[in-house]
Amino acid sequence: MAIAEALYDLEFLVYSAHKTGTQTLVHTLRDNGFACTHCHRLSNLSPPLTPELLPQFLREYRRRRGRVLPIVSVFREPIGRHISSFFQWHGEGALRRQPGATPADSLLARCPVPELQRRFREDLERGAPVGALESIRELCGALAIPVERLHFDPLRHQGISELPDGTLHLFRFDSLIQEGRIGPLLSALAGRPIQPRAANLSTVKWYFPILQEFRATLVLPAALIRRIHAEKLDLLSLMYGEQSDALLARILLRYGDGSE
């Protein structure tokens, strides 16, 4: 498989999991004059890039450009991310997959909220939620780097990790997007002032009222929430440090059924 020549023109690669603000990041960087693309997994690139080819691409990029490629990735608390992914997949995603379909044809419009919650819970219990892949893990696997070797500073709301022939810039969704630090953080990354541009926000989607009710009334088994957090403990520990237990407690309080 050949490496696309267009990839060597990039100034930033946003390589981040589903529903972690990737559209806002890529639109912001492009609107501020940077050549940028994004993927949730390497196979999303066009033409696709395999994990086996990533080290070769980064080496060749460094040789051609005389500098390493900055890679941007964002981590989001898993329950919140899976909820957003579920709605994206069954909302706008469903309309893209079915030409001529309207919002009224979608599962989100046809099913009552309790039924949507049941389907969502079953996806989690099967271990098959929409957009399950954590891009940071795919990246680490491709470069043979343990997650534990990455860096993140919760006080500075960012982390910079030197990779073989690349640099990984890590952010947390809650501070970058939800708390609105995207302008200052990307300005520091780019080396000049950056004007944010929001994109693909849930608040402007046609299904947002359904999403609000879904979140407000969702109840999940506490054991399920604990299992999902345990499966991502390496990333949660990296990104939240000593705050990871408090984060789990907040999610249990918001969505848990009170069981142990």
Side-chain angles (χ1 to χ4, degrees), residues 99-111:
T102 67
D105 300 317
S106 72
L107 182 76
L108 301 183
R110 291 186 288 104
C111 290

Side-chain angles (χ1 to χ4, degrees), residues 95-149:
L95 302 190
R96 285 197 298 269
R97 295 190 300 274
Q98 302 172 42
T102 67
D105 300 317
S106 72
L107 182 76
L108 301 183
R110 291 186 288 104
C111 290
V113 167
E115 173 62 15
L116 295 176
Q117 291 170 336
R118 183 188 67 79
R119 290 174 181 247
F120 175 71
R121 185 171 60 251
E122 288 179 351
D123 286 350
L124 295 182
E125 289 170 342
R126 292 199 314 271
V130 174
L133 177 80
E134 293 289 352
S135 303
I136 300 170
R137 281 186 175 160
E138 184 181 72
L139 172 66
C140 286
L143 299 178
I145 297 173
V147 169
E148 292 75 16
R149 280 182 51 193

Side-chain angles (χ1 to χ4, degrees), residues 226-242:
R226 291 183 183 279
R227 190 200 83 193
I228 290 169
H229 270 235
E231 290 169 350
K232 300 178 187 288
L233 184 59
D234 54 347
L235 293 171
L236 287 162
S237 297
L238 168 67
M239 303 302 293
Y240 286 87
E242 295 179 354

Side-chain angles (χ1 to χ4, degrees), residues 8-141:
Y8 297 109
D9 295 328
L10 293 176
E11 294 173 279
F12 289 97
L13 173 63
V14 176
Y15 182 6
S16 196
H18 196 241
K19 301 308 292 182
T20 57
T22 50
Q23 289 294 331
T24 290
L25 283 168
V26 76
H27 280 80
T28 293
L29 289 167
R30 284 176 179 170
D31 281 9
N32 283 271
F34 292 100
C36 177
T37 194
H38 82 284
C39 63
H40 302 310
R41 58 196 318 158
L42 293 171
S43 59
N44 295 151
L45 294 170
S46 182
L49 194 64
T50 65
E52 292 76 19
L53 281 176
L54 181 63
Q56 177 185 332
F57 162 62
L58 293 177
R59 285 195 302 271
E60 180 64 9
Y61 181 97
R62 185 172 192 167
R63 187 189 69 81
R64 293 191 189 191
R65 300 295 297 266
R67 61 178 178 84
V68 298
L69 176 66
I71 301 172
V72 179
S73 200
V74 181
F75 179 77
R76 182 176 183 179
E77 187 282 319
I79 300 298
R81 186 169 81 78
H82 292 327
I83 292 171
S84 291
S85 292
F86 181 87
F87 271 76
Q88 178 76 19
W89 178 260
H90 291 294
E92 291 187 349
L95 302 190
R96 285 197 298 269
R97 295 190 300 274
Q98 302 172 42
T102 67
D105 300 317
S106 72
L107 182 76
L108 301 183
R110 291 186 288 104
C111 290
V113 167
E115 173 62 15
L116 295 176
Q117 291 170 336
R118 183 188 67 79
R119 290 174 181 247
F120 175 71
R121 185 171 60 251
E122 288 179 351
D123 286 350
L124 295 182
E125 289 170 342
R126 292 199 314 271
V130 174
L133 177 80
E134 293 289 352
S135 303
I136 300 170
R137 281 186 175 160
E138 184 181 72
L139 172 66
C140 286

